[in-house]
Amino acid sequence: MTNQNKYILALDQGTTSSRAIVFNRQGHIMAVAQREFEQHFPQSGWVEHDAEEIWSTQSGVAQEAITRAGLRASNIAAIGITNQRETTLVWDRGTGQPIHNAIVWQDRRTAELCDRLRAEGKDELIREKTGLLLDAYFSGTKVKWILDHVPGARQAAEAGELAFGTVDSWLVYNLTGGQLHITDASNASRTLLYNIHTGDWDDELLALLDVPRSMLPEVRSSSEVYGETAEGLFGSRIPIAGIAGDQQAATFGQACLERGMAKNTYGTGCFMLMNTEQEAVPSQNQLLTTVGWQLGGERTYALEGSVFIGGAVVQWLRDGLGIIRSSEEVERLAARVPDTGGAYLVPAFTGLGAPYWDPYARGTLVGLTRSTSAAHIARAALEAVAFQSAELLQAMQSDSGLELKELRVDGGASRNNLMMQFQADLLGVPVVRPKVTETTALGAAYLAGLAVHYWDSTDAIEQGWAVDQTFEPQMSADERDSRMAEWRRAVERSRGWIQTEG
C-alpha cells in the first residue's frame, strides 16, 4: 500500500499529560489531542502515576487525534512513541496488570540506597558502564524498591512472572495486546542497568541492584518496525515503528544529526543535549553521557546537562513575588529597562545542577540598589536562565572538544525573544528557533516514518527543518566575559547556603 496519502501519529507520553499529534509529510501538525492525568504523592518526596491511567489517556488521545485530523487508522503509516524517561513500571506477564503504581522520575524514595551504594564506592563502576550519575532519578533503584516492598514481587520476578519497563515499554505492551516487551536504546540508557558501550543489559549492574534479567525488555533500535497495534484497538492495525525518550526525540526532531550540534529545551527546567556521534564522551563536569538514538546497529551518543530552574523562575515571579499576573507578561516587564542595573538572580531554589551539583545552594538576589525595580528583577530572572544554559554549554564544549556553531532551541520559553537574544549574546553563536517547536513529538514521528520509508532518509528530515527566527550575537567578547564572571560571583554567594538539607 502506498504511503502517499498517509500520515504519522506521534504519541507523546509526558509527566503530567498524554498527547497525540498527527504529522504530514512536511512535518506539519494536522491535529493534536491532549489529556492530563493525576499525580500521586503518597509521602514527601514520593511521586507516582497510575499505570492504567497512563495507558487509558494515551490510547484515548491517539484515537481522538486521528478523528480530529479527519482520518481513519488506515490513513496512519506508522506510530512513533516518545515518553517521560526513567519512570518505572512493573507488571504481571500473565494478567498484564501493574503490581504497583508507576514510580516517577522525580521520585526520591531511593536516595538512601544511592547514598549507600556511593559509600560502597559503586558510583565509579556505574558511571563507567552507564554514563550516568548514581542518583534516585534513574530507573534501576526504583525497580529494586518495588521488588523489595511489594509482597511476593521478588519471588514472582525470579520465577519469570514479572515484566519491568519504562513508559515506552508499557505503551508498546498494551498497544500490541501483550505481544511485545521491548524498549529502545535511548530509554534503556537511562535505567542504570544498561551498558552504553556494549549495547546490552549488564549482568554486573543487575547483580548490584538485585534485578533478575528475565524482567527486562528486549532492547531494539529507535527506528524499526517492531510490530502492529492489536486487532480492534483503532479499527485497522498500525505499524509501531519509532521509540525514543523525550529529550533524545527532541534532539532528533531538531535535526541535530551531526557531531557537535546541540539543542536546548526551555521548559520548567532546561535540557541541553549535544550530539557526539559514535563517541560516548565521558564528562569531567558532571554531565550525563547517554544514548541519543540507535539507527540500525549504530548508536549515536550525546552529552546531556540540565538546569533545574528554567521557566519555573518566571512562575516564581508570578506566584511568589506577584510582580506579574501571567507568565506572558515577563518579557514586556523586562523590556522596560535596558539591563538589570547590576542585579543578578541565582534561582537555586532546589540547589544547583551541572556543573556545580550543590544541593546546599539556595536562591540568591545580589547587586540591589535603591533604583532596582520589578523590571530589573524580571530581566535578571530571564538572564539567569540564559546564564545557566551558557555554563552547561561551556561544560559540553570542554568535555567534547567540540565548538558549537549554533544552538537550536525549543520549549515554551523559547518563544521569549528577549531571553533568546541574550542567550545568543552570552554564547557568541546564533540561537535558532524552528517553525515547529513540538520537536519531541516530531522526533518520534521522524523515527517512525524512516522505518516505514515515509521519509527516505535523514536528509529529508534536515531539509524539512525550517527556521522561524535566528538570534545573532550582538555582545562584544569582552562584555560577555565580564558578564559571565559577574554571574559566577553571584553563584558563589548562593553556594553552600544551608549546612544540611531540609
Side-chain angles (χ1 to χ4, degrees), residues 118-163:
R118 205 173 291 112
E120 293 169 8
K122 303 298 186 188
D123 47 343
E124 198 50 47
L125 169 78
I126 287 170
R127 185 71 193 249
E128 283 174 9
K129 289 181 178 243
T130 69
L132 306 176
L133 298 168
L134 175 53
D135 194 87
Y137 179 35
F138 304 107
S139 314
T141 58
K142 302 181 197 300
V143 188
K144 176 173 167 53
W145 188 94
I146 291 173
L147 295 183
D148 288 344
H149 290 82
V150 175
R154 186 160 291 286
Q155 294 88 326
E158 284 164 0
E161 295 166 6
L162 298 184

Side-chain angles (χ1 to χ4, degrees), residues 2-3 97 123 214-215 259 278 280 293 335 362 367 429 431 446:
T2 176
N3 276 326
Q97 295 298 304
D123 47 343
S214 63
M215 294 181 72
R259 184 174 168 84
Q278 278 67 63
W293 49 82
R362 284 298 176 268
V429 297
V431 165
Y446 281 150

Side-chain angles (χ1 to χ4, degrees), residues 403-480:
E403 205 157 308
L404 191 73
K405 294 184 177 63
E406 66 178 26
L407 179 67
R408 297 186 172 185
V409 298
D410 54 65
S414 71
R415 311 304 308 176
N416 188 310
N417 291 342
L418 190 149
M419 191 202 293
M420 293 301 102
Q421 181 58 55
F422 188 71
Q423 187 74 83
D425 289 343
L426 279 186
L427 297 177
V429 297
V431 165
V432 188
R433 184 173 64 209
K435 284 187 175 168
V436 177
T437 53
E438 291 287 358
T439 54
T440 304
L442 184 57
Y446 281 150
L447 289 165
L450 285 170
V452 296
H453 308 293
Y454 186 78
W455 290 290
D456 293 332
S457 68
T458 53
D459 292 347
I461 292 167
E462 289 174 305
Q463 288 160 13
W465 186 85
V467 175
D468 169 54
Q469 192 165 344
T470 299
F471 300 87
E472 297 285 350
Q474 296 169 357
M475 191 180 280
S476 71
D478 285 347
E479 186 182 353
R480 186 183 313 131

Side-chain angles (χ1 to χ4, degrees), residues 22 66 108 249 442:
V22 177
I66 293 169
R108 303 300 301 172
L442 184 57

Side-chain angles (χ1 to χ4, degrees), residues 18-20 33-35 56-66:
S18 296
R19 306 166 72 236
Q34 178 169 350
R35 283 186 209 166
S56 66
T57 54
Q58 190 65 75
S59 56
V61 292
Q63 187 61 68
E64 196 179 322
I66 293 169

Side-chain angles (χ1 to χ4, degrees), residues 54-105:
I54 288 177
W55 166 240
S56 66
T57 54
Q58 190 65 75
S59 56
V61 292
Q63 187 61 68
E64 196 179 322
I66 293 169
T67 304
R68 281 188 179 180
L71 304 172
R72 297 181 174 181
S74 55
N75 301 119
I76 304 299
I79 290 173
I81 295 169
T82 184
N83 53 285
Q84 52 164 317
R85 303 174 301 175
E86 297 95 18
T87 293
T88 300
L89 303 98
V90 176
W91 63 94
D92 185 294
R93 289 186 186 277
T95 65
Q97 295 298 304
I99 66 165
H100 190 274
N101 273 349
I103 301 182
V104 180
W105 58 273

Side-chain angles (χ1 to χ4, degrees), residues 52-337:
E52 297 282 16
E53 193 180 8
I54 288 177
W55 166 240
S56 66
T57 54
Q58 190 65 75
S59 56
V61 292
Q63 187 61 68
E64 196 179 322
I66 293 169
T67 304
R68 281 188 179 180
L71 304 172
R72 297 181 174 181
S74 55
N75 301 119
I76 304 299
I79 290 173
I81 295 169
T82 184
N83 53 285
Q84 52 164 317
R85 303 174 301 175
E86 297 95 18
T87 293
T88 300
L89 303 98
V90 176
W91 63 94
D92 185 294
R93 289 186 186 277
T95 65
Q97 295 298 304
I99 66 165
H100 190 274
N101 273 349
I103 301 182
V104 180
W105 58 273
Q106 299 155 316
D107 189 284
R108 303 300 301 172
R109 76 186 66 183
T110 61
E112 282 184 18
L113 170 59
C114 292
D115 290 342
R116 197 159 67 245
L117 290 168
R118 205 173 291 112
E120 293 169 8
K122 303 298 186 188
D123 47 343
E124 198 50 47
L125 169 78
I126 287 170
R127 185 71 193 249
E128 283 174 9
K129 289 181 178 243
T130 69
L132 306 176
L133 298 168
L134 175 53
D135 194 87
Y137 179 35
F138 304 107
S139 314
T141 58
K142 302 181 197 300
V143 188
K144 176 173 167 53
W145 188 94
I146 291 173
L147 295 183
D148 288 344
H149 290 82
V150 175
R154 186 160 291 286
Q155 294 88 326
E158 284 164 0
E161 295 166 6
L162 298 184
F164 149 70
T166 42
V167 169
D168 56 305
S169 300
W170 174 242
L171 293 180
V172 171
Y173 183 85
N174 283 282
L175 284 166
T176 61
Q179 293 301 301
L180 284 178
H181 182 213
I182 62 169
T183 189
D184 90 299
S186 74
N187 279 294
S189 75
R190 314 295 294 191
T191 60
L192 291 180
L193 303 172
Y194 175 84
N195 189 316
I196 60 172
H197 309 290
T198 64
D200 194 9
W201 302 115
D202 191 284
D203 288 325
E204 193 175 1
L205 297 175
L206 292 174
L208 183 66
L209 291 172
D210 211 7
V211 175
R213 187 180 260 268
S214 63
M215 294 181 72
L216 303 179
E218 181 188 353
V219 182
R220 305 279 284 271
S221 288
S222 307
S223 176
E224 64 174 277
V225 178
Y226 313 110
E228 293 183 325
T229 56
E231 197 76 58
L233 189 59
F234 295 121
S236 297
R237 302 187 76 173
I238 307 171
I240 303 164
I243 302 172
D246 54 11
Q247 297 307 323
Q248 290 100 322
T251 310
F252 200 82
Q254 282 276 36
C256 292
L257 304 178
E258 293 176 17
R259 184 174 168 84
M261 295 182 75
K263 71 90 194 176
N264 197 19
T265 298
Y266 296 81
T268 303
C270 298
F271 287 91
M272 186 180 289
L273 274 77
M274 175 185 274
N275 183 333
T276 60
E277 286 192 339
Q278 278 67 63
E279 185 188 0
V281 174
S283 175
Q284 306 304 312
N285 294 288
Q286 306 255 52
L287 302 175
L288 305 179
T289 307
T290 194
V291 174
W293 49 82
Q294 182 172 314
L295 301 181
E298 192 167 79
R299 285 184 297 281
T300 292
Y301 295 97
L303 280 168
E304 176 176 328
S306 56
V307 170
F308 293 163
I309 302 292
V313 73
V314 177
Q315 295 167 343
W316 175 72
L317 295 179
R318 182 192 67 200
D319 304 334
L321 290 190
I323 62 174
I324 52 173
R325 284 191 303 274
S326 70
S327 297
E328 292 69 39
E329 285 180 28
V330 70
E331 187 172 4
R332 287 197 302 277
L333 177 60
R336 290 184 194 168
V337 289

